[in-house]
Amino acid sequence: MTFTRFGIKILCLFILMSLVPLAIAGVIVYKHVYERTRYDVLRQVRSTAKNLNIQLSLLLSQRLIRVEDFSSDGFIRDCVEQMTLITPEYSSINDKLNAHLKNNKKSLDAKILDIEILDPRGVVIASTSQDQIGKDKSDRNYFKVPFLALERKGPFFSNDLERKGNTDELRLVYSSILKDKTLQGPIGVIVIKVNGDIIQEVFNQHVFDPDEESDLGHFSEIYIVNSKKTMIANSTSLKTMNFKQIINTTPVQEVFLSHGEWSGIYKNYKGVRVLGSVLFVSEMDWVILAEIDADKAFLPLTKIKYIFAISGGGVLLIVAIFSFLISNRINNTIRQFVTGLEMVADGNFERKIEVGRRRDEVQTLAKSFNLMTEKLKESKELEYKFDEVKMLHSLTEKINLGLTLEEVLNYVFESFRAIIPYDRIGVAFLFDNGKTVEHKWTRTDAETIKLGNGYSLKLEETTLSNIITTGKSRIITDLEEYLKVRPQSDSTKLMVEEGMLSSLTCPLIALGKPIGFIFFSSFKVNAYSNVHVELFMQIAGELAVTVEKSRLYQELVELNELKNGFLGMAAHDLRNPNVLIRLYLNQLVESLEGTNEIQRTWINKIQSISRSMMTLIDDFLDVSNVEAGQLKLDVNPVKLNVFITDNYEDNKSITEKKSITLKLDLKKELPIVDIDSDRINQVINNLITNAMKYSAPNTEIILSVEVIDKEAVVSVIDQGQGIHPDDLNKLFKMFGKTRGKPTANEKSTGLGLVICKHVVEAHDGRIWVESEGIAKGSTFKFTLPLKLKESGQEEMALSLNS
């Protein structure tokens, strides 16, 4: 049986709960033992180093005492004092002194190799070695320090080493100052050279302190280093010694600098990690080092590691078994929950959790899960129904917005997949009084379309006639099996070649009359069942309405086009005779030599009627062209101030005939605009004519132009009857009439403002009217966008605006 993730977490939790305290205890014990071992070993090493120093001091002090006694020899002092005075008996005294030194050398110490006496200049004046007499040794420490030091107190033991020839034979040098009897002033230095292996005698003793159970065998190495960082004694080299070994480790450097002592863990001159103690010997300017291999020193810690490792392994095994037994109890329940939740995530709410007779939170959790799946199932069904209603509602909105059938079908294909299955939608219509069915629209996810638009069949040759008869949908669960039964069905064969394996066909019925079919198809077998039929039938019903609306709309478009064509043709046919009537009337007037008042009146009326008819005919032609989309503009750059001024001059004489003053409010400079000057001239003339119709004599009409936000705003302002608020929405509409009456019974077609609106909008402008009410005049305004091609024009427009 494998662990679940929960089981793994339990295992990890128990391991942490058991091993963490064990690890903490192990670290504490290990740290304690480590520190204790380190303390004990360092204490032992430090004690050994100090004991060794005591032994060395004792050994060397004995030589110092002999040197001090020898230096106080009265015979030697008297001889040196006389030789310093350079008396005639100098040679005799020197021979006696040399003989005295040689005789006493044997009685002092067997380890003494040589005895020398140096005068105040540092020159050897007597020696047990004849070859040393007369040599200058003033540069040696054993001369300079006792003789030249500020404090001349007693004997001095130098740290100098001398080698015999080219050998590594070690010689320790003792020196002491010689003083005269009277003034106790320095008269020379006596030097005794001792064999260096006396230091090794100390290492031959095994116990340095009776109170300490320490022995040289406990240590890896004990050695002495002088101030030149040279090893001069070593416990591991009792017979032979390499005095060329330089010891320059960090502890040695620190102790020589501090003149104290240091203990700790470090790497020695061999690169071995050791526990050691370094002690400075001030009398001899040496350091003593006692070291023990760190691995040997901490050997008990290795045993502790093994103990804790074995204990940890045992605890780990016990915890693993315990965790397995614990998790095994709830493993099956967890898997049931995981499987159930995966099914819920996939939309399947049939899973139930059974946990037996448990009486704990797991049982409560199982009951809650089962209750949740029941609620989710109910909620999913409601949500599905809600989605259906929402989809149908959105489809109805799309239809009511007046979208074409193709736009509605594309919306269905893209939006309804969330609640119904399909990979292809096709629509076919009935023709020839329901005798022929023809495919008109297709959209599919297949790579190629085999059964496309234009494919038609006689209805009686298909199985679709039964759908028309019953008014019910048809489901084919397996098109391949269906094709085996009806191999003569070319449409089924083409669908299978596209990859479709199941289909659902619904009739399209509008106003109780069948008009066609809608086909839903899927790449999967058994994609459709009776649960889909109701929704598909509702979609088909909505689409049937769209089809019928599209048909009626098409008929309306055709009738409107017919009307526009008829209107244009009629207006055009009426225009030509009217032109002829006006031409013949003008010729008649010219042919008559004299006319009376009555004749001129009738002729004027005929001319007025002809002009009115021509205006009406021109308006009808303009409206016809606008609605047919044939309003064409001849756009050219025009200087706006010149154009407006010319229009003003043309209309000024017309308004004066009605005793109305036309004024011009024009800036000196206006930008150039791209317009059809004839059409915009027509708009301004129409607005001025309208203003004149509804204005009384002795009033004013103002034609003004200003630049606002990169637009030229043209205004026609009158002092006429004004416009009632309820009549504002009637303007700019076909045959729109207001409550106002022309002041001189002028005629109006009701088409002028409609034509103005289309002309202005064709120039990407706007037109509107402003009026505060009856008897308060009115203002008609329209805009022309400024196409500023040069920065100078733009700056001019902005300056005018400001």
Side-chain angles (χ1 to χ4, degrees), residues 255 304 411 433 490 753:
V255 170
I304 293 175
Y411 173 75
N433 295 324
D490 291 335
L753 291 180

Side-chain angles (χ1 to χ4, degrees), residues 308-543:
F308 275 95
I310 295 172
S311 302
V315 170
L316 181 62
L317 179 61
I318 294 172
V319 169
I321 295 172
F322 181 72
S323 302
F324 181 84
L325 295 176
I326 293 296
S327 63
N328 186 36
R329 178 178 174 82
I330 59 175
N331 238 6
N332 291 332
T333 304
I334 293 174
R335 283 204 172 87
Q336 287 188 59
F337 278 110
V338 172
T339 304
L341 290 172
E342 289 175 350
M343 293 177 67
V344 169
D346 292 335
N348 186 347
F349 306 113
E350 302 297 330
R351 180 74 176 185
K352 301 295 181 184
I353 303 296
E354 302 293 339
V355 295
R357 297 181 178 180
R358 300 179 66 119
R359 296 182 179 180
D360 54 15
E361 287 76 7
V362 176
Q363 176 69 36
T364 304
L365 182 61
K367 290 180 179 179
S368 300
F369 179 85
N370 294 335
L371 180 62
M372 178 192 70
T373 55
E374 292 177 3
K375 297 295 184 182
L376 285 175
K377 184 178 180 180
E378 295 175 0
S379 175
K380 189 67 176 178
E381 291 175 353
L382 291 174
E383 182 182 355
Y384 186 81
K385 291 295 183 183
F386 176 75
D387 287 343
E388 288 184 358
V389 173
K390 186 167 64 173
M391 289 288 189
L392 289 172
H393 177 69
S394 63
L395 179 60
T396 302
E397 288 182 343
K398 293 290 182 182
I399 292 171
N400 292 334
L401 286 174
L403 298 178
T404 64
L405 177 62
E406 183 173 358
E407 291 173 330
V408 173
L409 289 171
N410 281 322
Y411 173 75
V412 171
F413 188 87
E414 294 169 357
S415 305
F416 279 68
R417 282 183 165 177
I419 57 175
I420 53 178
Y422 55 82
D423 299 297
R424 184 187 195 277
I425 296 179
V427 176
F429 296 135
L430 293 173
F431 297 96
D432 299 335
N433 295 324
K435 294 179 180 180
T436 303
V437 58
E438 182 177 341
H439 214 79
K440 284 294 186 180
W441 186 88
T442 302
R443 185 166 174 183
T444 178
D445 290 333
E447 295 181 358
T448 58
I449 298 177
K450 298 291 184 179
L451 197 157
N453 299 344
Y455 182 86
S456 64
L457 286 172
K458 294 294 183 182
L459 185 62
E460 61 184 15
E461 297 176 0
T462 68
T463 58
L464 299 175
S465 56
N466 188 49
I467 298 176
I468 294 295
T469 304
T470 61
K472 296 181 179 180
S473 61
R474 181 189 69 182
I475 294 175
I476 300 177
T477 58
D478 192 333
L479 287 175
E480 290 181 339
E481 293 297 326
Y482 182 80
L483 184 60
K484 292 178 181 179
V485 177
R486 293 180 57 84
Q488 72 278 10
S489 176
D490 291 335
S491 59
T492 304
K493 182 179 179 182
L494 293 173
M495 293 290 289
V496 172
E497 289 178 358
E498 281 191 27
M500 303 301 156
L501 298 179
S502 59
S503 69
L504 186 149
T505 306
C506 298
L508 296 176
I509 300 175
L511 302 177
K513 178 183 177 182
I515 61 172
F517 306 91
I518 182 168
F519 307 93
F520 296 91
S521 307
S522 174
F523 291 138
K524 299 179 181 179
V525 178
N526 297 318
Y528 303 101
S529 61
N530 291 329
V531 297
H532 301 116
V533 170
E534 182 180 355
L535 179 59
F536 279 103
M537 288 296 292
Q538 292 182 52
I539 294 173
E542 295 286 349
L543 293 178

